[in-house]
Amino acid sequence: MRPMPTAVEAAPTSPKGLEGVVANQSAICYVFGEEGRLIYRGYDIHDLADHSTFEETAYLLLRGDLPTRDQLKEFSLAIKASQKLPKVVQRIIKDAPLTASPMNVLRTAVSASVFVDPDKGDDSPTAEYRKAVRLIAQLPTMVALFHRLRSAQRPLAPRRGLNLAGNFLYMTSGALPDPEAAKALDVALILHADHELNASTFAARVIAATLADIHGAVTGAMAALAGPLHGGANTEVMKMLLEIETPDRAEAWVRAALAQKKKIMGFGHRVYRTEDPRAAHLRRMSEELGRKAGQPQWHGMQQIIEDVVRREKGLYCNVDFYSASMYYVLGIPLDLYTPIFAISRMSGWCAHVLEQHADNRLIRPRADYIGPMNRTWVPTGRRA
Ligand code: COA
């Protein structure tokens, strides 16, 4: 008689969610979780947020060093020259249902853009760099095109005098952006550009490590980013604030949610054990822009929520908390918050794909098997 099926008895050795696992080496970005510090290529995020631009930061991530004046000019011109979407990508976006999630449309458009990429099939580092520049340049145009179509507004071509952040605001809203708004979005893009081995970047590296192309890798990354535990959290934060409505209801609302063991979106982090350094910039911009827009209540509500969650759960807010109210007072629709995250993070994903391809080995971990063993196959009619 055959033995009854039994589970493997070995104790699992894998930390759930790969917590604390160092999966690869990288020279791009590092999160100091205990200190609440973040660096891109050795530069502190505060210095970049205070003094840099998104274009400069994207160059830094891709090339390893801050650009000289000429290099920045060349990079910015390359971005501007690539902003227009190929016809096939425009058609795919136009064919999407108007009710589709912008992240799904964006992911599909990015995937399709490989059809006509001039460097398709060439995986040399220089060709991959050119593809990365095109991907970074085209995301804002993709998001704006879909948004204009679904709001029955005429799509707008990028304007030459604007940087990537300004162009995104212009192409979605149709109005030339207020300089303070454009600057705030530019800083937000710097802050979101990379974050070491977060879920979407890890996904991109796993895909890239099979020697799949950069378009495939970043398409997978975008699917990962959309989840509410990752980049989708910013939209959920704003939905929560709209549900709470007024600051005087905030404390009771959060206490009730915590009592029901609900997660408060925009709080917690796998790596940070103190405040996420990006949150300080977003908190300040959310307050300043909220006051200027005559909508200080969102920031006011958030301060109360932050205080309660900190006291009750010992949790700090993350990048998605104050970015939500900042985007809201800039008039950006809720479902474009995560696409903005993608617009920025595209630079980090591409840098990681280039780094992976430059020194590649297939990423293929093992699983702790906890299923049954030694089962006997029986014909269909004799199965219980
Ligand atoms: N609100 C309330 N409790 C939270 C929480 C939150 N936002 N985030 C974590 N916790 C609690 C969990 O309930 C859990 O408590 P328990 O041990 O009593 O069950 C504990 O903290 C650990 O949480 P866990 O989900 O296991 O941590 P993680 O490292 O796997 O997850 C996040 C990290 C970011 C996914 C998690 O904090 C989260 O879901 N946050 C909300 C979504 C979000 O803002 N995502 C954007 C991240 S930048």
Side-chain angles (χ1 to χ4, degrees), residues 27 29 38 54 75 82 88 130 132 143 177 179 224 277 280 356 383:
C29 176
L38 170 63
F54 174 66
F75 183 71
S82 307
V88 63
R130 288 192 296 270
V143 179
Q356 185 66 41
R383 289 178 204 158

Side-chain angles (χ1 to χ4, degrees), residues 91-168:
R91 223 171 23 248
I92 280 169
I93 295 175
K94 284 178 183 164
D95 280 348
L98 299 178
T99 52
S101 138
M103 274 307 280
N104 287 350
V105 175
L106 192 59
R107 186 182 75 199
T108 307
V110 163
S111 177
S113 64
V114 72
F115 299 158
V116 287
D117 191 283
D119 288 304
K120 179 169 52 123
D122 183 351
D123 56 4
S124 65
T126 46
E128 289 217 312
Y129 174 74
R130 288 192 296 270
K131 291 183 213 177
V133 171
R134 280 191 283 276
L135 283 163
I136 294 166
Q138 287 177 5
L139 249 69
T141 325
M142 291 173 181
V143 179
L145 173 61
F146 178 64
H147 179 63
R148 299 287 291 182
L149 291 171
R150 71 176 181 173
S151 355
Q153 291 175 302
R154 188 171 55 86
L156 296 167
R159 274 177 86 107
R160 281 201 90 71
L162 297 172
N163 63 9
L164 191 135
N167 244 320
F168 172 77

Side-chain angles (χ1 to χ4, degrees), residues 16-17 19 195 227-234 237 258 261-271 273 276 278 309 313 315 318-321 341:
K16 203 168 176 192
E19 179 165 1
H195 212 227
L229 295 188
H230 191 3
N234 50 17
V237 168
L258 289 176
K261 300 261 176 252
K262 284 190 184 155
K263 276 194 167 172
I264 313 297
M265 291 290 125
F267 285 89
H269 201 272
R270 177 59 68 77
V271 184
R273 290 293 158 256
D276 178 335
R278 303 166 298 176
V309 177
K313 296 286 293 184
L315 291 171
N318 57 47
V319 73
D320 292 307
F321 191 57
F341 198 150

Side-chain angles (χ1 to χ4, degrees), residues 172-187:
T172 46
S173 72
L176 276 176
D178 165 64
E180 198 185 337
K183 176 66 191 159
L185 185 62
D186 193 56
V187 173

